[in-house]
Every structure is written in C-alpha cells, then in structure tokens.
Amino acid sequence: MNGITKFLDEKFMPTMAKVGEQRHLQSVRDGIVLTTPLVIIGSLFLILAFLPIPGYESFMSSIFGGNWQSNLLYPVGVTFDLLAIFVAIGVSYRLAERYKMDPLSVAAVSFASFMLVTPYKISFQPEGIDKTFDVAGIPLALTGSKGMFVAIIVALISTEIYRFIVKKNIVIKMPDGVPPAVAKSFASLAPGFASLLAMWLIRLILQVTPFENIHNIVGELLGKPLSLLGGSLAGAICAVLIAQLLWVTGIHGQGLVWGIMSPVWLSLVDQNRVAYTAGQEIPNIVNIQFMDIFYSIGGSGTTLGLALLLFFRSKSKQNKQLGRLTLAPGIFNINEPIIFGLPMIMNPIMMIPFIFIPVIIVTVSYLAMDFGLVAKTAGIMVPWTTPAPIGGFLATGGKISGAALQLFNVLLASALYYPFFRIWDKQKLKEENEFSKTENVNKIG
C-alpha cells in the first residue's frame, strides 16, 4: 500500500496535474460546457414530444393538430444539430481568454473558419428516382455532433494563427479617440484574415484529394477510432479508473477525463437521439449520459451508497456528522464533502473501494443494457444533478428499468463499500474513545 501511495504521490499526480493545467485541454473542456444548457433545453422538448403516457399522442393531436410532434422537435434541431458550431465558438473563446486576446473577435473568426472548411453540399434522393442529387446547403450532420472533432481542431488552429499574428504585432491600430468596439474590430482584421486564409487553403487542397474535405479525414482518422474506444466497455472502464485515480491524488478526475472524452460521448448521445426520434433501435450503451446517470450516482465513485452508510450506520460521532453533511448533496450527485471530508484523498482504507467499485458499477450497468434487461439511454440530456431514480427514468426515455438500475447500483455500491466503511468507522470510533479518555485524565489531573 505504501508503494502505491508513493507512486500516486510522486509520479502519477504531478504528471496528471500538468495535463490538467494544459491550456488547450482546459479550453476544450470549458468550451464544450457551453453546449450543456442548450442540449438540456433541447432534451426537455424531446421528452415532451415522446412522453411515455398512454393516450398522450392522441390527446396532443386533438389539441394542437397532427403536426404537434414535429413542432415540438424544432428546438431539438437548433440545439443538437448545431453542437459543432457552439463548440467552435466556445473552445476558441475560452482559449482566447487564456491568451488575453479579445475572445469575441476570436470566436467569430473560429466560427467563420469552421464554416469555411465545411462543404456546402447536401445529397438527397427523391422518392421514386434512383438518381442522387447534390444541392447547395449546409449539411446539419456536419454542424451537429458529427462535426465536433473538426470544430475543436479548427477552433484551436484558428486561435493559434490569430495569436501568432497578434504576437508579431501585425494589427491595424486606430488613432486615439476611436470607440473601443471599432478599434477591436479593425485590430482583428489582419489575424482574422490570416486564419481564414489558412482554412481556405486547407479546403482547396483537400478538394483535390480522395478525402474531399477535412470532415472526412478527421472522421476516418480520429472520429471512428475514438468512438469505438469511448463507446466500448473497455473504454468506459479506462475512463473511470483514470478519473478515480486522479481523485485520490486530489485532482478533479471527472473534470479532466470528461473534458477529454466529452466530444466522443456527446456524439454517441446524439446518435441515440436520432435513432430514438426515428423509432429505431438505439445503437450505443456508453455515452456521457450513461456515465453521468449510472456511474456518478452521488458523485464520482457512486458514493451515494457510502453517504447512506455514513448517515445510517456510523457509530463514530465524526462519521455520523459527516453523514448528515454529505447525504443531501449526495442525493444531487455532489460528493466533494465526502472526497475531502472523509477524506478519500490518499486514504489507504477507503481509496481501494473508491477506485474499484465504480468499475463494477459500470460493468454491471453495461451488461444489463447489453443483455436487454435495461433500456439504453435515449439521447435525452438529463442534468447530472438529477437525483436517482428520476435521472435513470428520464435518460432512458421514461423506462422504469432505468430507474430500477439506478436504485440497484446504489444498493450494490452500499454493499461493496460496507466492509471498508466498517473498518474506517471502527478506527474513527477508537480514536474518539482514546481522545475522550485522555480528556478525562487531563480533567482529573
């Protein structure tokens, strides 16, 4: 155990801390957060369009007409189908902030750069005709989750080009007295031109290659492999293990790992959403909703089960008080009070279950969905603070099996945490008794 602790303290933690402080990874993580409220809003309309209530569709049709469902899906389209655009804006904005540049100007250039490398062509085949036609238009598939990787790459590259030109002081400076907004717009001319010129050249070069555009290259070389890895049980287990190891060294593991994996998992969520709205079989088990709803019950490590033990089974006064403080936040999937209050960090007793119980929870949840015992997540983005079992019910499109799996995971986590909890609680109780005896001796003396 001392060897493991030494490795985490001396090797693992410093390396991961440097990774977590890397400005580009931070910008990707923070930029993707911009999409969260939008996809949650879209998910609310998605839930309303497909409420699993008998007679709901006929009731809505009688009031709002036959197109009521299509009308409800309009907000879903302008949120999910524009994810890549939001990401391009958000990532470049956050990176520009870290470089102390005008973030709004940089975000505007990034948006234009993304649209510049995106082909303005939509292919369709009319009914009854064997021929496919190409018409001018923006393909929503590439502005949605499918284009997220390109959006991230373009945002980072265009911002770095912008920064390079600014550092070289190749900017148009307006005389004193010009309004700041006007001065900023002219200052962005040269760096903005350089960024767009680079993207234009990339588009022209790729047009004469078999790939045709950057979306096809990124999809083949990056998107497919990462989706296969991130959407697999092995990928989910690796993500959980790294996150938990980071937590026990004092680093926000979920924030770092989720920041890297979010583009993959969000695209898998959107694939499920498309299949769900079309009435097709849902393709993906692992995605960001699977991880947030079924692994993070009570927070990273499925610690709601531990919070219940602290509240109901503690004999130690210290642990009992901690249980009172942690149960309410744990219900809403916030567990920093447990992580830092118990603590989990470098705790030789509790860090073992904290690292490995989530692996068991993820595996059980995956197998339950893979064997068809529990419905897969339906592409509905439920806020991560939604309590169990409500979160499981909503995320699976109103299926009782989703709620049941969440409750089962809490009970399973409690049972697995229990032996380690008892050891910890006895240790704390012993310390309290020894302290109480010492206090009594001092009073008598």
Side-chain angles (χ1 to χ4, degrees):
M1 182 58 65
N2 289 335
I4 295 175
T5 304
K6 185 178 180 181
F7 168 77
L8 292 173
D9 191 28
E10 296 181 1
K11 303 293 183 180
F12 187 78
M13 184 171 67
T15 302
M16 290 299 104
K18 290 179 180 178
V19 172
E21 293 169 0
Q22 211 283 326
R23 61 168 63 94
H24 295 90
L25 288 178
Q26 287 182 333
S27 300
V28 170
R29 180 196 64 200
D30 297 343
I32 289 176
V33 169
L34 174 67
T35 68
T36 302
L38 295 168
V39 295
I40 289 175
I41 292 169
S43 295
L44 292 175
F45 284 91
L46 187 60
I47 292 171
L48 291 174
F50 295 95
L51 274 178
I53 299 175
Y56 176 71
E57 291 187 19
S58 58
F59 171 75
M60 294 294 284
S61 296
S62 65
I63 297 177
F64 300 107
N67 292 327
W68 69 272
Q69 198 170 56
S70 298
N71 293 336
L72 267 177
L73 292 176
Y74 288 151
V76 179
V78 299
T79 50
F80 282 92
D81 290 340
L82 300 179
L83 277 175
I85 291 176
F86 302 141
V87 168
I89 293 171
V91 171
S92 58
Y93 190 99
R94 295 306 182 194
L95 185 56
E97 283 185 326
R98 287 181 168 84
Y99 283 137
K100 308 299 181 184
M101 298 188 298
D102 178 25
L104 187 59
S105 297
V106 175
V109 171
S110 175
F111 166 65
S113 298
F114 173 74
M115 298 308 297
L116 182 57
V117 299
T118 300
Y120 287 69
K121 183 175 69 175
I122 301 174
S123 300
F124 78 102
Q125 183 177 354
E127 292 185 14
I129 300 177
D130 295 333
K131 188 177 180 180
T132 299
F133 296 89
D134 292 333
V135 298
I138 300 174
L140 292 179
L142 299 182
T143 59
S145 61
K146 191 176 179 181
M148 282 183 63
F149 289 111
V150 173
I152 292 170
I153 293 169
V154 169
L156 297 177
I157 292 175
S158 65
T159 303
E160 288 296 338
I161 294 173
Y162 194 107
R163 173 175 173 259
F164 176 79
I165 299 299
V166 170
K167 282 185 68 177
K168 294 297 182 180
N169 203 27
I170 308 174
V171 295
I172 299 175
K173 296 182 180 179
M174 301 300 290
D176 295 338
V178 175
V182 176
K184 286 182 179 180
S185 65
F186 275 89
S188 68
L189 274 175
F193 175 80
S195 297
L196 289 174
L197 177 63
M199 296 302 155
W200 177 60
L201 291 174
I202 289 173
R203 176 168 181 164
L204 293 180
I205 293 170
L206 292 179
Q207 279 182 176
V208 297
T209 69
F211 287 105
E212 295 183 347
N213 59 71
I214 192 173
H215 288 271
N216 291 336
I217 291 179
V218 172
E220 289 294 326
L221 301 182
L222 186 63
K224 286 185 179 179
L226 286 177
S227 294
L228 289 173
L229 175 63
S232 66
L233 176 59
I237 289 174
C238 287
V240 166
L241 277 174
I242 294 172
Q244 299 307 115
L245 285 169
L246 289 170
W247 270 121
V248 299
T249 60
I251 299 172
H252 196 301
Q254 198 163 335
L256 179 58
V257 176
W258 267 227
I260 296 171
M261 296 302 299
S262 285
V264 177
W265 287 339
L266 278 172
S267 66
L268 297 176
V269 166
D270 199 39
Q271 290 175 19
N272 284 9
R273 189 263 309 179
V274 172
Y276 177 67
T277 54
Q280 301 170 352
E281 182 180 354
I282 294 175
N284 304 305
I285 295 176
V286 178
N287 52 57
I288 200 164
Q289 281 291 274
F290 173 84
M291 302 300 285
D292 284 348
I293 299 300
F294 297 104
Y295 144 72
S296 299
I297 307 174
S300 297
T302 323
T303 52
L304 180 57
L306 179 58
L308 290 169
L309 291 175
L310 288 167
F311 185 83
F312 289 107
R313 303 292 295 174
S314 292
K315 294 182 179 180
S316 159
K317 293 179 181 179
Q318 176 182 332
N319 286 341
K320 191 73 173 179
Q321 182 62 30
L322 183 63
R324 295 190 186 102
L325 295 173
T326 59
L327 183 58
I331 290 173
F332 295 94
N333 305 319
I334 299 168
N335 69 344
E336 278 80 359
I338 282 184
I339 290 175
F340 297 103
L342 193 65
M344 291 294 191
I345 298 170
M346 294 302 178
N347 186 326
I349 296 173
M350 298 306 300
M351 65 188 282
I352 296 174
F354 184 69
I355 292 171
F356 292 106
I357 287 175
V359 174
I360 298 172
I361 296 296
V362 165
T363 303
V364 168
S365 301
Y366 183 95
L367 294 176
M369 293 184 181
D370 192 41
F371 286 117
L373 302 175
V374 176
K376 299 174 185 176
T377 56
I380 299 168
M381 285 292 288
V382 179
W384 61 269
T385 52
T386 305
I390 299 172
F393 178 78
L394 294 176
T396 53
K399 300 295 192 297
I400 296 297
S401 61
L405 179 58
Q406 275 198 305
L407 294 177
F408 177 80
N409 285 349
V410 173
L411 294 175
L412 177 60
S414 294
L416 294 173
Y417 270 117
Y418 185 76
F420 301 91
F421 159 76
R422 291 305 302 156
I423 294 171
W424 182 253
D425 193 50
K426 287 179 180 179
Q427 181 176 311
K428 292 289 113 179
L429 183 62
K430 182 180 178 181
E431 291 175 2
E432 290 171 5
N433 290 335
E434 290 176 353
F435 178 78
S436 178
K437 290 178 181 178
T438 304
E439 286 288 299
N440 290 333
V441 170
N442 291 336
K443 287 180 181 178
I444 294 172

